[in-house]
Amino acid sequence: MPTIALQHYKRGSHYYASIIETFRDPVTRKNSSRTLEALGDISEKMKEDPNYLQSLKDRVTALRSDASRAEQLQEAAVRRIAPAVFNSSADASSPRLHYGMAPIRKVWEKLGLNAWFRKAGYNRKLSWDLDLAVFYQVASRILSPLSRRGMRRQCPRHLFKFDSVSLDHHYEALDILAASKPTIIKKLDEAVCKEISRDCSLVFYDVTTFYFESFEPDCLRERGMSKEHRTHETQVLLGLLIDRCGIPLDYEIYRGNTAEVKTLMKVVESFREKCPQGKPIVVADRGLNSKDNLSKLIKNDCAFIVAHSLQRLSSKELGSLFSEDGWKYKFDSETGEMSWKMKTMDCPDAVKQEESQEAVKPRLIVTWSAKRYAHDMKELNLQWEQAKKMVSAGTGRIDASFKRGARQFLKRVKQSDPDEKAPEERYELNRELYERKIRFAGYYGLITCCEDLSDEEIYSRLRELWKIENCFRVMKSVLCTRPIYVRTEAHIRGHFVVCVLALALERFMAFKLREQGIEYSAEMMVELLMSPTVSPIEGVKNKVKLYLKTGEQELEKPESSCSKSVDLNQEAEKVMAVFGVEPLPTLTTVVDITKRLGVRLPI
């Protein structure tokens, strides 16, 4: 960084002054200086204003503290020497090397993951760098997710050197990750707890599916109910537990045909072994709601807030639900119409505990929303119209369709023909089911054993389930966790260790940015980290290898509805500064890059 000083001297009865900039010439690697402003004879001005000299000193002090001004001065110095440098070796074919992995590496080292993997590699007496291999897989999964083979081909795009790790080493790293998954997740959890005030009093659990481009099942890959409607391809289930920041606490991989309801307790029990203190509240969707799960949650000293299907209620309970008694209402301030209501009911079934303890009687909270009613009715009417079209399409098309969506409103009936011995089967519309669905439109139910929270607080906690849905969205879109290109069980499990580590780092970085008032989507953060680049050039003196900072300058901001554009390099530097990465000057050397980025990676 250039330094600025006021130079003044007396010659006879006259005072002379100038503002001098001193900087290090990146080509000659020697200190140099130049005059920024020649003030000349200031004797008359000093007579007019006795504080004129002090005002000049204050002006220089302001220039020193103005970082943007100092950067402009640095660039001016670069432009002065640029013609001789650029004409030597820089041209349009110079590669652009990304260094956006630097802040990810800073987080990696801050969480102590580098030390753990180095020790693990040393204990296994590996001839290659396990830490470098795993970090490259995790960072690549965030910035430019590809298969392992494609990831290896992308090594020359990065400023840091990862080509010392071969493709075989990357696959071997997956075996190590699969075998060490419990220890790695525990280490990650401990490190995150040290860095942020992690709130584990409320945790969220859900399940999703990840498919393979494969049709042959094995011990882990299997066809099942796919959330992405890929029923003909094999898949695995991921059960994920996160905190309120969206950072993973624990996870587990299950065979592709495993029922969702059977996945909850293995993850929760593993989490409780690591964090036995406190009584966390587990929030889950209705697919995880079963008497067995709820009783085991209480046995593991956990409370629960779980969505509940109102269509499972008895006729007596439905009568209480649809009665006008006990509701709390909210009205629209503009129209005066009722927009939302809530009531509490006795839960139909008690949750069993140990034989020596009394059963817990949870409460059922029901809400109705005008917005949800409009959404439900729109979906119902769309499915009903589709069901009408399916009836006219014939039984063959109906039999080949999924037994969900519009198909649920069709029922098979037998029509007897006096001229034929066997009755003919056909489909007709199930109007009773359609009218029953209309009756429940807009309603939503949940059950809980939390006694210290109000109904409104419990409902707001359940609404936070969007956080884990967002984690799944990031894993499937930004991190490209699927399709999965590895096939052995160890490699599959190792692949998910990489993806969960990538999700944890991305969520941790987003949390740190929010603390500084910076909020970007996962997609935008990746765009920012991939924007700053440097291009290698060769100096004319002493053949010193220099790097010219390049990169994209502007991009339309996706979060904003206006047409304003943002300077990607400036925004990227703001993001990197949060994690202790200093901005690079326009022209720099390897030594300066290493110092400013401050990461332990080969360049």
Side-chain angles (χ1 to χ4, degrees):
M1 183 67 70
T3 58
I4 305 171
L6 176 65
Q7 187 179 75
H8 60 92
Y9 57 92
K10 184 177 181 182
R11 180 176 296 173
S13 59
H14 297 275
Y15 271 95
Y16 298 88
S18 58
I19 299 177
I20 304 298
E21 172 209 4
T22 303
F23 62 93
R24 185 173 179 83
D25 193 319
V27 175
T28 63
R29 304 179 72 176
K30 295 181 180 179
N31 290 333
S32 182
S33 63
R34 69 171 185 145
T35 301
L36 295 179
E37 190 172 351
L39 302 172
D41 189 352
I42 62 172
S43 304
E44 294 298 326
K45 292 183 179 179
M46 290 179 64
K47 290 178 182 179
E48 295 174 3
D49 182 5
N51 297 323
Y52 180 71
L53 187 61
Q54 182 60 42
S55 65
L56 290 179
K57 293 180 180 179
D58 295 339
R59 181 178 171 188
V60 170
T61 302
L63 285 174
R64 288 173 181 167
S65 61
D66 190 349
S68 62
R69 173 61 178 164
E71 182 66 24
Q72 292 174 7
L73 296 174
Q74 175 75 3
E75 290 182 0
V78 171
R79 285 195 297 270
R80 181 171 60 84
I81 64 170
V85 175
F86 297 166
N87 292 336
S88 64
S89 60
D91 53 39
S93 63
S94 296
R96 288 188 172 188
L97 304 178
H98 298 270
Y99 59 93
M101 287 187 179
I104 302 176
R105 181 65 183 189
K106 294 286 279 190
V107 174
W108 183 267
E109 294 176 358
K110 196 174 187 65
L111 296 178
L113 294 171
N114 62 319
W116 189 90
F117 282 109
R118 283 182 179 176
K119 183 178 180 181
Y122 175 79
N123 292 339
R124 287 174 171 79
K125 298 180 179 180
L126 300 177
S127 60
W128 47 277
D129 193 335
L130 177 63
D131 169 51
L132 198 64
V134 177
F135 171 74
Y136 184 45
Q137 291 196 44
V138 172
S140 295
R141 187 58 51 181
I142 297 174
L143 297 180
S144 53
L146 295 167
S147 66
R148 270 74 196 170
R149 193 177 299 276
M151 179 191 68
R152 276 278 301 156
R153 289 196 297 265
Q154 295 297 320
C155 283
R157 293 184 60 197
H158 300 284
L159 175 65
F160 310 110
K161 305 300 181 185
F162 297 104
D163 48 9
S164 62
V165 183
S166 69
L167 183 60
D168 290 338
H169 294 156
H170 282 296
Y171 284 120
E172 189 176 346
L174 293 180
D175 293 327
I176 297 173
L177 290 174
S180 308
K181 176 252 178 180
T183 308
I184 294 171
I185 297 301
K186 183 178 180 180
K187 168 63 182 175
L188 176 67
D189 179 63
E190 292 173 350
V192 171
C193 288
K194 289 180 181 178
E195 294 298 326
I196 64 176
S197 54
R198 197 173 199 181
D199 182 10
C200 293
S201 62
L202 187 71
V203 297
F204 304 89
Y205 180 82
D206 206 351
V207 179
T208 192
T209 58
F210 292 91
Y211 66 86
F212 297 76
E213 291 189 335
S214 167
F215 304 95
E216 295 297 328
D218 54 26
C219 58
L220 188 58
R221 298 178 295 176
E222 182 59 87
R223 298 184 186 90
M225 193 186 75
S226 172
K227 294 182 181 291
E228 297 167 284
H229 308 296
R230 291 179 174 265
T231 55
H232 299 296
E233 294 175 320
T234 57
Q235 65 179 20
V236 293
L237 265 70
L238 170 70
L240 181 65
L241 188 73
I242 65 169
D243 61 13
R244 298 188 81 170
C245 299
I247 303 175
L249 290 164
D250 210 334
Y251 79 96
E252 190 56 61
I253 300 298
Y254 299 93
R255 188 171 168 84
N257 59 354
T258 306
E260 289 185 17
V261 73
K262 297 181 179 180
T263 66
L264 173 66
M265 289 317 302
K266 186 174 181 179
V267 178
V268 172
E269 288 171 357
S270 174
F271 164 68
R272 292 300 282 163
E273 287 178 5
K274 296 182 295 183
C275 302
Q277 67 280 1
K279 187 175 182 178
I281 302 173
V282 179
V283 183
D285 208 348
R286 68 186 66 185
L288 288 308
N289 187 345
S290 72
K291 293 181 183 179
D292 185 53
N293 279 344
L294 301 184
S295 61
K296 287 180 179 179
L297 285 174
I298 295 176
K299 182 179 178 181
N300 283 273
D301 198 23
C302 296
F304 58 81
I305 300 174
V306 184
H308 189 74
S309 175
L310 298 178
Q311 299 186 44
R312 292 162 51 184
L313 299 178
S314 65
S315 58
K316 180 180 179 181
E317 292 158 351
L318 288 176
S320 175
L321 169 66
F322 293 116
S323 70
E324 297 299 324
D325 300 330
W327 289 101
K328 301 176 186 177
Y329 296 94
K330 287 185 180 179
F331 297 90
D332 190 282
S333 58
E334 296 181 358
T335 63
E337 297 181 356
M338 189 262 292
S339 60
W340 186 83
K341 61 181 180 179
M342 170 185 285
K343 78 183 307 185
T344 304
M345 301 171 52
D346 291 334
C347 195
D349 297 308
V351 179
K352 297 181 180 180
Q353 284 187 278
E354 300 291 340
E355 295 181 0
S356 60
Q357 296 177 332
E358 295 182 359
V360 175
K361 189 74 174 178
R363 67 184 191 270
L364 172 64
I365 300 174
V366 182
T367 65
W368 181 91
S369 166
K371 289 184 178 179
R372 191 185 305 119
Y373 175 81
H375 174 269
D376 291 348
M377 288 303 300
K378 181 180 178 181
E379 292 295 320
L380 276 174
N381 290 329
L382 180 62
Q383 292 176 357
W384 183 250
E385 293 302 320
Q386 290 176 345
K388 290 180 180 178
K389 294 179 181 179
M390 292 177 70
V391 169
S392 60
T395 58
R397 180 177 175 183
I398 297 174
D399 290 336
S401 63
F402 298 113
K403 295 182 179 180
R404 299 189 303 274
R407 168 73 182 274
Q408 65 181 314
F409 295 111
L410 301 178
K411 59 182 179 180
R412 187 188 293 267
V413 295
K414 293 182 179 181
Q415 184 178 12
S416 300
D417 190 339
D419 297 332
E420 296 183 8
K421 296 181 180 180
E424 180 185 358
E425 291 188 349
R426 64 181 181 84
Y427 286 93
E428 67 179 23
L429 295 171
N430 189 343
R431 188 168 292 276
E432 293 179 1
L433 177 62
Y434 175 64
E435 292 175 353
R436 179 179 174 84
K437 292 277 188 180
I438 291 178
R439 192 182 186 193
F440 286 96
Y443 286 93
Y444 191 84
L446 64 92
I447 58 173
T448 180
C449 63
C450 301
E451 299 178 353
D452 299 333
L453 299 176
S454 66
D455 294 349
E456 290 79 5
E457 289 174 328
I458 290 172
Y459 179 69
S460 66
R461 301 295 193 276
L462 185 70
R463 299 263 299 177
E464 292 185 50
L465 269 173
W466 67 267
K467 294 178 180 178
I468 195 165
E469 294 294 337
N470 189 48
C471 285
F472 290 150
R473 183 192 66 80
V474 170
M475 291 188 73
K476 292 182 178 183
S477 59
V478 180
L479 306 182
C480 295
T481 304
R482 82 313 181 238
I484 305 168
Y485 296 107
V486 290
R487 62 181 183 83
T488 67
E489 181 176 354
H491 288 174
I492 294 169
R493 294 188 181 277
H495 170 78
F496 277 98
V497 175
V498 170
C499 293
V500 171
L501 283 175
L503 176 66
L505 293 187
E506 189 276 330
R507 298 284 91 181
F508 181 88
M509 294 176 71
F511 174 81
K512 285 295 185 180
L513 290 173
R514 285 196 300 272
E515 283 188 329
Q516 302 298 320
I518 304 173
E519 188 156 1
Y520 283 116
S521 65
E523 292 85 354
M524 186 60 181
M525 190 167 72
V526 169
E527 189 74 26
L528 289 176
L529 293 182
M530 287 296 289
S531 62
T533 58
V534 292
S535 294
I537 59 177
E538 198 172 79
V540 294
K541 295 184 180 181
N542 301 326
K543 296 296 182 180
V544 178
K545 191 172 184 179
L546 303 175
Y547 288 87
L548 175 67
K549 185 168 72 172
T550 53
E552 299 295 334
Q553 295 298 319
E554 292 186 350
L555 180 77
E556 292 295 326
K557 193 173 182 179
E559 289 89 351
S560 176
S561 59
C562 62
S563 59
K564 292 182 179 179
S565 59
V566 294
D567 188 313
L568 280 181
N569 281 339
Q570 287 186 3
E571 294 299 314
E573 288 175 356
K574 289 180 184 179
V575 170
M576 291 184 177
V578 173
F579 304 102
V581 177
E582 298 181 18
L584 298 182
T586 304
L587 199 64
T588 185
T589 62
V590 172
V591 175
D592 191 42
I593 289 176
T594 304
K595 179 182 177 181
R596 289 174 180 270
L597 299 186
V599 293
R600 301 170 188 173
L601 286 175
I603 296 179

